[in-house]
Amino acid sequence: MNGALTSMIWVVDDDPELRKMVSTYLLDQGYDVRGLCDVKQLEARLECQRPDLVVLDLMLPGDDGLTALRRLRDAGDDLPVVMLTARADGVDRIIGLEQGADDYLAKPFLPRELSARIEAVLRRRSKIPAGTPVADGGRISFGDNVLDLSARTLWRDNTPTVITTGEFSLLAAFVQHPHRPLSRERLIELARGPSCETDSRSMDVQVSRVRKLVEPDPTRPRYVQTVWGYGYVFVPDGEPRLSRS
């Protein structure tokens, strides 16, 4: 049994055997689980209930998982989503992350691996990353942005901005290491944990999403700058580094 005994997980997959297998395993782990077969069922249930996390298959009859995810994010909903994909070439994974998925898992997979991904996402949602500094009541300002570490919110130009759990964890990792170049591997460890199997390309996608949230011009980043051949650096005052970013 894990520590998320009251968390509700919805498993959205049109394969009844896989849905039953995953649901049974997660139930045994102490989760409250609901199985749904398509996007229509998911969106109908969301009108009256809200889970703690959705396990969402990419390939579904009717609207696919990416369409459902895009609608959630466009509506300002930061509901945690772990995406399942039957292809292992990386394209679906990257697209899913670009659309706002918190994590991904390629089929076939072990139920234990999915459970570990779910636990990691819920853990990031439930607490601030270890070592994150709390300044000015938990708020850190840079440019027109205010990151509230206690409330886990981001404000830009005095307007609340939708931010997913993965984006928040990455931005929190940056603000606790200002002016310090961080490799992609170190960022993965800080934002997702030392046992996470996220690759460097996926981290680049997450950095791109964070830039869209906080940069005046994401194509010419001021705050999250590139350290060529190494990784990234957070520059809260927006001053340019000697290297191109």
Side-chain angles (χ1 to χ4, degrees):
M1 305 290 284
N2 58 41
L5 300 180
T6 60
S7 295
M8 179 182 291
I9 310 297
W10 291 358
V11 179
V12 186
D13 198 298
D14 62 325
D15 183 338
E17 293 186 2
L18 184 143
R19 195 168 63 241
K20 181 179 179 181
M21 180 265 292
V22 170
S23 297
T24 299
Y25 184 85
L26 294 178
L27 282 168
D28 289 342
Q29 297 303 300
Y31 292 104
D32 183 3
V33 185
R34 301 288 185 273
L36 307 172
C37 66
D38 57 24
V39 171
K40 185 177 180 180
Q41 283 192 357
L42 169 64
E43 293 181 341
R45 187 174 284 262
L46 280 173
E47 291 181 359
C48 57
Q49 195 175 17
R50 183 178 176 84
D52 295 288
L53 182 144
V54 172
V55 177
L56 182 62
D57 188 29
L58 174 65
M59 302 299 295
L60 291 168
D63 289 340
D64 61 21
L66 282 178
T67 300
L69 177 61
R70 188 180 302 114
R71 281 203 288 260
L72 281 171
R73 298 306 184 234
D74 288 347
D77 195 327
D78 66 346
L79 175 66
V81 173
V82 174
M83 183 74 72
L84 301 181
T85 173
R87 295 199 289 253
D89 59 8
V91 175
D92 288 336
R93 176 190 70 220
I94 292 171
I95 293 174
L97 290 172
E98 288 176 338
Q99 295 299 325
D102 292 272
D103 208 341
Y104 63 88
L105 191 59
K107 297 178 179 179
F109 57 86
L110 295 174
R112 182 177 179 182
E113 183 178 6
L114 175 59
S115 178
R117 300 295 181 96
I118 290 172
E119 289 178 24
V121 172
L122 292 176
R123 189 164 55 245
R124 293 198 300 270
R125 167 60 66 94
S126 65
K127 66 180 182 180
I128 297 171
T132 300
V134 176
D136 188 22
R139 297 176 181 174
I140 296 178
S141 301
F142 56 99
D144 295 327
N145 305 287
V146 178
L147 183 67
D148 191 324
L149 297 171
S150 300
R152 301 181 65 85
T153 57
L154 174 67
W155 291 70
R156 184 172 181 179
D157 293 327
N158 296 316
T159 302
T161 300
V162 175
I163 185 168
T164 68
T165 55
E167 293 160 356
F168 175 86
S169 296
L170 179 57
L171 188 54
F174 273 125
V175 302
Q176 71 172 336
H177 296 89
H179 301 290
R180 185 184 306 176
L182 300 170
S183 67
R184 292 170 176 83
E185 293 74 16
R186 179 58 175 156
L187 280 170
I188 292 170
E189 180 179 346
L190 289 170
R192 295 190 165 227
S195 60
C196 180
E197 297 179 0
T198 299
D199 58 28
S200 297
R201 175 61 181 131
S202 298
M203 178 51 63
D204 289 340
V205 171
Q206 290 287 340
V207 169
S208 176
R209 289 184 59 82
V210 166
R211 282 174 168 168
K212 291 177 181 178
L213 293 175
V214 304
E215 298 286 357
D217 181 359
T219 65
R220 302 179 64 184
R222 297 173 53 188
Y223 306 116
V224 181
Q225 299 181 19
T226 301
V227 181
W228 292 100
Y230 186 72
Y232 301 94
V233 61
F234 175 65
V235 184
D237 54 13
E239 292 295 323
R241 291 171 49 82
L242 292 179
S243 60
R244 180 185 170 193
S245 61

